[in-house]
Amino acid sequence: MQNSNLKDAASDEGMDKVLLVGVLVKDSARWLDAVLANVEAYRGLFKQYECLIVDGNSMDDTWARCEVWCSKDQTRRSCKRHPGGLARGPSLVQARTMVLDHFKHKFGENVYMLLLDGDSVNGKPIDMQGFQSCFKYKDWAAMFANQPSKYYDVWALRSEECPDDYQIPIHLRLETWKSREPYIEKLQKRKDPSLGLLPGKSAFGGAGIYNTKFIDVERDGYSCYQYVSLDSTRQIMLPVCEHVPFHKSMVGRGARLFINCEWLINDHE
């Protein structure tokens, strides 16, 4: 377990905190009821909350259903759409930036931002006890969820076992997807909940909660591109998971990020 270097949070601190929830959806109708039920479950643990849903130009009835849900509590729920026509990476950057811009003026002490993907990973009831275990600790900047059977989101992962983007050798034609499979399977090995907190420089896995006092809204931002050095004089621009630059900026200032293996959400379908 990697918990020993974190101090226990004060036992009387409780959940007297504010929660800001950002949910990204796109053609999410089959999971939407469960995702929104989970939002309600999370918010029940906090003193105050607000939720923003960003729809990525859904072609099913996701948008209409989000509007209905938000209309039932307009002071705390809202939904926005962003234009279609963008590739997946720029589209995610735009959507996550919309969430950040919407909430950033509320960041501060005892304010937490929970980001959820509105798909299968949040499409079943969540183990709230696992989520609450995040608050056994203090001095963390972000905690990310785990899955019960297979840790799928290695695209966002930067850790001791995955120090860099696993796709770089493929982009540079040094390996193929087939030859890279054993390494990917190793990274996606199930993370037992008994492991506790696993430190890293980036992760996500469909859900992450941020202590907003560690976010610098002037410096921390999303991007879907990175520069990779070919040699001492040449660089090439390659795709990157949008979470990685955001987390890199936070970690550069000393922020501490963890996968919380106890916080189990659903397996990715």
Side-chain angles (χ1 to χ4, degrees), residues 15-36:
M15 295 295 283
D16 189 25
K17 300 170 172 50
V18 176
L19 183 68
L20 308 172
V21 186
V23 185
L24 267 57
V25 296
K26 183 174 182 179
D27 298 328
S28 300
R30 56 181 162 158
W31 301 296
L32 192 60
D33 288 346
V35 172
L36 297 179

Side-chain angles (χ1 to χ4, degrees), residues 150-168:
K150 177 181 179 181
Y151 186 82
Y152 83 99
D153 191 12
V154 296
W155 178 229
L157 184 64
R158 299 291 184 275
S159 64
E160 183 177 346
E161 61 179 340
C162 183
D164 211 338
D165 185 347
Y166 74 93
Q167 295 188 24
I168 289 176

Side-chain angles (χ1 to χ4, degrees), residues 205-262:
I209 187 165
Y210 297 79
N211 185 337
T212 65
K213 72 178 183 179
F214 292 103
I215 297 176
D216 185 332
V217 296
E218 300 300 324
R219 298 183 185 181
D220 303 335
Y222 294 99
S223 175
C224 57
Y225 299 105
Q226 64 178 335
Y227 283 98
V228 175
S229 296
L230 297 177
D231 52 40
S232 60
T233 61
R234 295 182 300 158
Q235 290 185 323
I236 186 173
M237 189 168 68
L238 295 176
V240 68
C241 175
E242 77 279 3
H243 294 290
V244 172
F246 186 79
H247 296 151
K248 182 178 180 179
S249 181
M250 294 178 66
V251 170
R253 298 191 311 277
R256 306 171 75 193
L257 281 56
F258 300 88
I259 296 172
N260 183 353
C261 297
E262 292 183 69

Side-chain angles (χ1 to χ4, degrees), residues 29-255:
R30 56 181 162 158
W31 301 296
L32 192 60
D33 288 346
V35 172
L36 297 179
N38 285 328
V39 171
E40 287 292 308
Y42 284 121
R43 62 74 55 108
L45 302 175
F46 291 79
K47 177 179 65 176
Q48 299 177 38
Y49 104 110
E50 183 179 339
C51 180
L52 172 68
I53 303 172
V54 177
D55 177 62
N57 199 34
S58 292
M59 302 301 291
D60 61 12
D61 65 344
T62 296
W63 172 250
R65 292 169 62 182
C66 288
E67 285 189 305
V68 170
W69 187 77
C70 291
S71 71
K72 296 177 181 178
D73 189 352
Q74 296 183 30
T75 60
R76 293 181 293 187
R77 301 175 183 174
S78 56
C79 49
K80 298 180 180 180
R81 301 190 86 170
H82 68 82
L86 296 175
R88 183 175 185 274
S91 178
L92 286 169
V93 168
Q94 185 180 63
R96 297 205 186 280
T97 301
M98 289 172 68
V99 172
L100 196 64
D101 288 345
H102 184 81
F103 288 135
K104 65 184 181 182
H105 65 287
K106 300 183 179 181
F107 288 178
E109 196 73 31
N110 286 329
V111 179
Y112 292 81
M113 180 173 68
L114 174 65
L115 302 183
L116 302 175
D117 286 346
D119 58 17
S120 60
V121 290
N122 292 297
K124 292 183 179 179
I126 305 304
D127 174 13
M128 287 298 150
Q129 185 175 353
F131 172 71
Q132 286 179 284
S133 71
C134 296
F135 296 91
K136 295 190 299 185
Y137 313 99
K138 64 179 183 178
D139 300 328
W140 53 267
M143 295 269 196
F144 305 104
N146 186 21
Q147 286 78 47
S149 301
K150 177 181 179 181
Y151 186 82
Y152 83 99
D153 191 12
V154 296
W155 178 229
L157 184 64
R158 299 291 184 275
S159 64
E160 183 177 346
E161 61 179 340
C162 183
D164 211 338
D165 185 347
Y166 74 93
Q167 295 188 24
I168 289 176
I170 300 170
H171 291 309
L172 297 182
R173 301 182 184 276
L174 301 174
E175 290 196 45
T176 64
W177 284 106
K178 186 68 175 177
S179 67
R180 205 66 174 149
E181 280 181 3
Y183 179 64
I184 296 170
E185 290 175 0
K186 181 180 178 181
L187 295 178
Q188 291 184 323
K189 182 180 177 181
R190 176 179 180 266
K191 298 184 185 304
D192 193 296
S194 67
L195 294 173
L197 303 186
L198 299 179
K201 295 182 178 180
S202 182
F204 191 64
I209 187 165
Y210 297 79
N211 185 337
T212 65
K213 72 178 183 179
F214 292 103
I215 297 176
D216 185 332
V217 296
E218 300 300 324
R219 298 183 185 181
D220 303 335
Y222 294 99
S223 175
C224 57
Y225 299 105
Q226 64 178 335
Y227 283 98
V228 175
S229 296
L230 297 177
D231 52 40
S232 60
T233 61
R234 295 182 300 158
Q235 290 185 323
I236 186 173
M237 189 168 68
L238 295 176
V240 68
C241 175
E242 77 279 3
H243 294 290
V244 172
F246 186 79
H247 296 151
K248 182 178 180 179
S249 181
M250 294 178 66
V251 170
R253 298 191 311 277

